[in-house]
Amino acid sequence: MRLDAEHLEKRFGTATAVAEVSFTAAPGAVLGLLGPNGAGKSTTVGMLAGLLRPDRGSVRIGGVPLSTGADPTKRRLGLVPQEIALLDDLPARMNLEFFGALYGLAGRALAARVAAVLELTSLKDRARDPPKEFSGGMRRRLNIACALLHEPEILLLDEPTVGVDPQSRNAIFETIEALAAAGRTLIYTTHYMEEVERLCDRVVVIDHGRVLADDTLEGVLARAPAANMLSLDYAVPPDSAALSELSAMPGITRVELAGTRLTVAAADLGSTAPRVLEHLAARGFSCRQLTSRRANLEDAFLALTGRTLRDP
Amino acid sequence: MSSTLTAFRALVRKDLVTFLRDRRALVVSVLTPIVIAAFFGSMFGGDGSDTSVSRIPVAIVDQDGSDLSKAIVADLATETSLDTIPLSEAAARERVRAGKLHAAIVFPQGFGAEAPRALFRGSGKPAIELLYDPSQSFVRPIIEGLLTQHIMQRVTRALFSAGGSIGIVDQALANVKDSATLDAGSRADLVTLLEAVRRYQTRPAAEQPSDRGNGLSLPFTLTNVAISTGPHYNSYAHSFAGMSVQFILFMGIDAGVVLLLMRQQGFWRRLRAAPLSRGVLLGSRVAGTTLIALVILSIVYLVAAIFFRVRIAGSAAGFVGVAVAFALLAATTGLMVAAVGRSVAATRGLSVFAVLILVMLGGAWVPVFVFPAWLQRVSAFVPTRWAVDGLDAMTWRGLAFEAALQPIAIMLGWAALFAMIAVWRFDWEAD
């Protein structure tokens, strides 16, 4: 099932939370909605889930416009909210039965679906226990399971791994990958670039309520200033004259100094690294440590917005 | 339609199960009203089986020591509503001031000689002091009444008995004959009366009736008959009505606060993601809270019936009607709180204050009839007043179904108003 967000705009009073957001999510793929806190991701998800009425634009589910309220199109959607929205005192099974009943499931059909999602999220053994006795990761998995009972064709996951240990995070990733493999459409909002890099086939970068990039992962990474990043640590940071000369060198696309750490973006790591070291050493700046890595979404985001994903 | 019903049932069931599993909520909502109602009920007379009257502690200061004052003091000591303690004036004043005694009666010197004479003259009356604790001023009219009764009885007995009071009558005759204010006719009539009394006093003992010397007595007897459901007024019935109303309202407010919490914690967001109308979401909330209120009311009244002999002496249908109307009122009150409330802490604090005012004005703590007249008129506009009145009417007052109609109609009116405010003010997009 395809989801189309078309020219979405949402204001709260005088503040514009979402100014212009358009993208398409295709079946069998995971679309990552990437942006820092306050970028407008959750407001966008609110409109995608039929919780918020857009001031402009529309959301179409399989070509059918989505509205708020008792819209039957909502049956095609599953929402995993950012918060762990569970009945903490009731057993996991009762939680699942409750959320299934909200979508009209009852009797054997409900029992079968409860069993299926317990299996999928590996919570079968803890079905009788209340979520308040679960670990953070198990609670997150149950939070996801509650959105799967009615077999939604589109799943909206709003920061589903916040506060989760690495092991549980992997379990969640496996669940998401299994759902995508089963042909579901997944929209995954996060500000963790590693998650997008692992899970997403397509990435929509949002900042200040606008789409800055809508491309495949490779396409977005290409927006980074260079394919490689050199990170050098100096006891005495290079002066501005040395940095200016460095910036002017061929093959170097960006030079940035933060404290004693110098970051240099370069297309060709092999030829650039020795030249940078020699240039600065000749001016009396001795490097204490050198590391290099491939450019990532963080670099691409920085290039697109001028700030990092984790900026407040 | 069936899937909507399935969802509605699930939402209501969730509220009920969550409430019943929450031991704290159960204790606060069920046990607390029972305990407090039992306390208040016992204070205001219990179930009516204990007919003993609490005695008012009063000091008696007899500075006169005459036969008359001693006789009056002895009479007061036999009163079942007084606990008399003979003391000196200083000690009596000190103990009243300290709140250890409600009052003290001081008979002055010369009381025995002057009181009978004062019966026929407008001046020179002996002054009895009644010292009382201002925080116990309600005892004053009781003591005044009993004192008047016994003094009149003893003084007139002294006057009409043979012997000792001939001098008083002679003096009264002389006063009447010399009076310049009396006209001739009145003077002649009084002289005739007093001479007749004098003749009566001087008759030989053998000619006097056996009950001579009883003086004046009350010209009636008084029988107290409680008009309610049976031979005994059950004070617990009112207490249980009042405390049920108070704590069910608290539960209603709590349900509203829980809705605010649900919004803060993303749960409401999840409910709204389901294909459910606002009517289903809010209606199920009202239905769930109403059912919880009825569960609480049923348990509280069951305990009241078993352990405190509270009976639905009036219409059972009326009782159910009042209970359902009040449960709806509590549920819509909570919904309104959730609609207009902002932060959980501020909403909870303000709501508790509002509930306490409502139950106080509604007569949940003390019956409305003890309020001043103006406050009674104000309380007619307080919905809780009708809940308490309705429950009272169907329990200890033993009234028919018709008596429940007005409380039911008024409470349903308030519930409809609160529901409309809630729907109007509810911010659907706020999470």
Side-chain angles (χ1 to χ4, degrees):
Chain A
M1 180 69 59
R2 173 186 161 121
L3 181 148
D4 295 292
E6 298 169 342
H7 309 293
L8 295 178
E9 181 183 319
K10 185 68 186 175
R11 291 184 302 274
F12 296 106
T14 56
T16 301
V18 171
E20 167 64 46
V21 168
S22 298
F23 60 82
T24 294
V30 182
L31 182 139
L33 213 51
L34 183 69
N37 290 330
K41 299 191 303 293
S42 288
T43 304
T44 301
V45 168
M47 289 187 280
L48 299 181
L51 305 177
L52 301 174
R53 189 191 305 277
D55 293 320
R56 195 169 67 85
S58 64
V59 175
R60 290 178 181 274
I61 308 294
V64 179
L66 176 70
S67 63
T68 55
D71 187 344
T73 309
K74 283 183 174 178
R75 289 184 196 285
R76 297 174 178 277
L77 292 168
L79 172 68
V80 179
Q82 186 172 343
E83 306 86 357
I84 296 179
L86 299 170
L87 300 162
D88 262 343
D89 295 317
L90 303 189
R93 183 183 296 281
M94 283 186 77
N95 269 274
L96 293 168
E97 287 168 351
F98 168 67
F99 286 108
L102 293 186
Y103 289 85
L105 292 172
R108 287 181 183 173
L110 178 60
R113 285 303 303 152
V114 168
V117 297
L118 283 170
E119 188 74 44
L120 180 70
T121 51
S122 308
L123 289 170
K124 199 174 172 183
D125 296 340
R126 301 297 301 272
R128 290 182 180 178
D129 299 327
K132 67 181 178 187
E133 294 174 7
F134 285 6
S135 69
M138 288 169 70
R139 284 160 63 82
R140 282 281 169 197
R141 271 146 55 200
L142 183 60
N143 206 34
I144 293 172
C146 289
L148 298 174
L149 286 151
H150 60 293
E151 297 186 90
E153 290 155 280
I154 299 170
L155 190 64
L156 305 168
L157 299 114
D158 191 2
E159 310 250 9
T161 59
V162 172
V164 170
D165 61 274
Q167 192 181 354
S168 292
R169 185 172 296 201
N170 274 332
I172 291 171
F173 289 167
E174 284 165 14
T175 303
I176 290 168
E177 285 163 345
L179 289 166
R184 303 270 192 270
T185 306
L186 289 102
I187 297 176
Y188 190 100
T189 79
T190 184
H191 62 274
Y192 295 128
M193 57 181 182
E194 311 83 23
E195 295 186 352
V196 174
E197 286 171 345
R198 158 139 185 204
L199 290 172
C200 299
D201 305 289
R202 194 168 184 87
V203 183
V204 173
V205 180
I206 294 183
D207 195 27
H208 297 304
R210 291 181 185 278
V211 173
L212 301 181
D214 177 2
D215 210 334
T216 59
L217 182 59
E218 292 73 24
V220 174
L221 285 173
R223 311 279 183 103
N228 298 291
M229 307 298 289
L230 271 176
S231 185
L232 305 100
D233 188 49
Y234 285 88
V236 179
D239 57 25
S240 55
L243 292 178
S244 296
E245 290 163 3
L246 209 59
S247 299
M249 282 184 174
I252 291 178
T253 53
R254 185 162 66 92
V255 174
E256 188 180 284
L257 181 69
T260 60
R261 181 165 293 277
L262 177 69
T263 304
V264 177
D268 179 14
L269 185 65
S271 63
T272 307
R275 282 193 291 134
V276 169
L277 288 169
E278 282 170 19
H279 177 80
L280 292 175
R283 278 150 188 78
F285 300 106
S286 176
C287 180
R288 291 191 302 193
Q289 189 181 16
L290 167 70
T291 55
S292 70
R293 61 174 172 79
R294 297 281 298 168
N296 59 24
L297 276 172
E298 185 78 54
D299 303 308
F301 190 83
L302 187 63
L304 285 165
T305 66
R307 61 187 183 129
T308 68
L309 277 165
R310 289 175 181 78
D311 278 349
Chain B
M1 185 61 189
S2 68
S3 65
T4 304
L5 270 178
T6 302
F8 190 91
R9 274 204 309 265
L11 285 161
V12 173
R13 183 167 174 266
K14 181 263 296 176
D15 284 348
L16 273 173
V17 172
T18 306
F19 174 77
L20 292 174
R21 279 180 175 246
D22 184 347
R23 287 180 187 169
R24 184 193 65 86
L26 264 177
V27 167
V28 169
S29 303
V30 176
L31 192 60
T32 318
I34 291 171
V35 170
I36 298 179
F39 173 72
F40 272 113
S42 65
M43 271 181 58
F44 289 110
D47 62 7
S49 58
D50 181 6
T51 55
S52 65
V53 179
S54 61
R55 291 153 71 96
I56 302 166
V58 184
I60 305 290
V61 182
D62 185 2
Q63 295 175 334
D64 187 34
S66 64
D67 290 344
L68 181 61
S69 65
K70 284 178 184 168
I72 293 168
V73 169
D75 287 347
L76 290 172
T78 63
E79 278 294 337
T80 54
S81 53
L82 296 182
D83 180 14
T84 57
I85 303 151
L87 286 174
S88 69
E89 184 179 352
R93 279 181 184 275
E94 187 52 40
R95 294 189 67 176
V96 172
R97 189 179 292 118
K100 290 175 181 170
L101 294 173
H102 287 4
I105 303 167
V106 183
F107 292 97
Q109 275 189 338
F111 171 80
E114 294 302 319
R117 290 192 182 94
L119 204 60
F120 295 102
R121 67 186 184 206
S123 59
K125 298 183 178 185
I128 297 173
E129 270 192 309
L130 178 61
L131 315 171
Y132 68 96
D133 178 349
S135 71
Q136 306 289 340
S137 58
F138 68 92
V139 303
R140 206 181 66 193
I142 301 171
I143 297 171
E144 282 176 0
L146 292 170
L147 193 59
T148 304
Q149 176 194 331
H150 288 295
I151 289 176
M152 288 303 289
Q153 207 162 344
R154 282 292 170 183
V155 169
T156 53
R157 180 186 294 182
L159 189 66
F160 288 103
S161 65
S165 60
I166 291 173
I168 297 167
V169 177
D170 287 343
Q171 190 171 351
L173 266 169
N175 288 343
V176 168
K177 286 173 181 171
D178 295 343
S179 172
T181 56
L182 289 170
D183 58 57
S186 300
R187 184 181 295 120
D189 289 344
L190 278 172
V191 167
T192 304
L193 170 69
L194 290 168
E195 284 177 344
V197 171
R198 195 178 193 288
R199 275 199 304 279
Y200 176 81
Q201 288 176 331
T202 53
R203 283 162 75 181
E207 294 178 19
Q208 292 183 5
S210 58
D211 63 344
R212 66 184 170 79
N214 277 346
L216 298 178
S217 67
L218 291 174
F220 58 87
T221 60
L222 185 66
T223 307
N224 297 308
V225 182
I227 302 299
S228 66
T229 55
H232 301 301
Y233 159 65
N234 189 339
S235 172
Y236 289 117
H238 177 78
S239 300
F240 273 89
M243 288 306 114
S244 299
V245 165
Q246 176 170 321
F247 283 89
I248 287 172
L249 263 187
F250 276 140
M251 182 280 299
I253 295 294
D254 215 40
V257 171
V258 165
L259 185 49
L260 280 176
L261 276 171
M262 279 165 62
R263 298 178 75 148
Q264 280 183 6
Q265 295 167 354
F267 198 88
W268 186 247
R269 194 173 159 86
R270 181 159 234 168
L271 295 185
R272 287 183 48 234
L276 301 173
S277 67
R278 296 174 181 192
V280 169
L281 288 173
L282 292 189
S284 64
R285 196 81 196 136
V286 169
T289 311
T290 301
L291 280 177
I292 292 170
L294 289 172
V295 167
I296 294 171
L297 205 63
S298 303
I299 297 173
V300 169
Y301 268 89
L302 190 66
V303 172
I306 294 171
F307 296 103
F308 300 95
R309 302 203 300 180
V310 173
R311 298 285 180 267
I312 300 172
S315 161
F319 181 85
V320 172
V322 169
V324 171
F326 173 64
L328 272 168
L329 176 68
T332 51
T333 304
L335 198 63
M336 184 174 67
V337 163
V340 300
R342 292 289 176 260
S343 75
V344 168
T347 302
R348 184 171 272 149
L350 199 62
S351 302
V352 167
F353 174 73
V355 166
L356 290 176
I357 295 293
L358 281 175
V359 296
M360 183 180 70
L361 292 179
W365 296 347
V366 290
V368 169
F369 60 76
V370 304
F371 291 178
W374 68 269
L375 199 53
Q376 289 190 34
R377 285 194 293 275
V378 169
S379 75
F381 297 96
V382 177
T384 44
R385 151 87 183 270
W386 298 99
V388 176
D389 278 6
L391 292 171
D392 277 355
M394 297 301 110
T395 52
W396 67 270
R397 285 194 191 282
L399 300 183
F401 182 75
E402 288 71 30
L405 290 177
Q406 190 184 20
I408 290 172
I410 291 174
M411 282 191 285
L412 289 180
W414 278 104
L417 177 68
F418 289 166
M420 283 190 285
I421 292 172
V423 171
W424 170 48
R425 295 285 297 166
F426 204 90
D427 185 355
W428 287 91
E429 295 205 334
D431 284 320

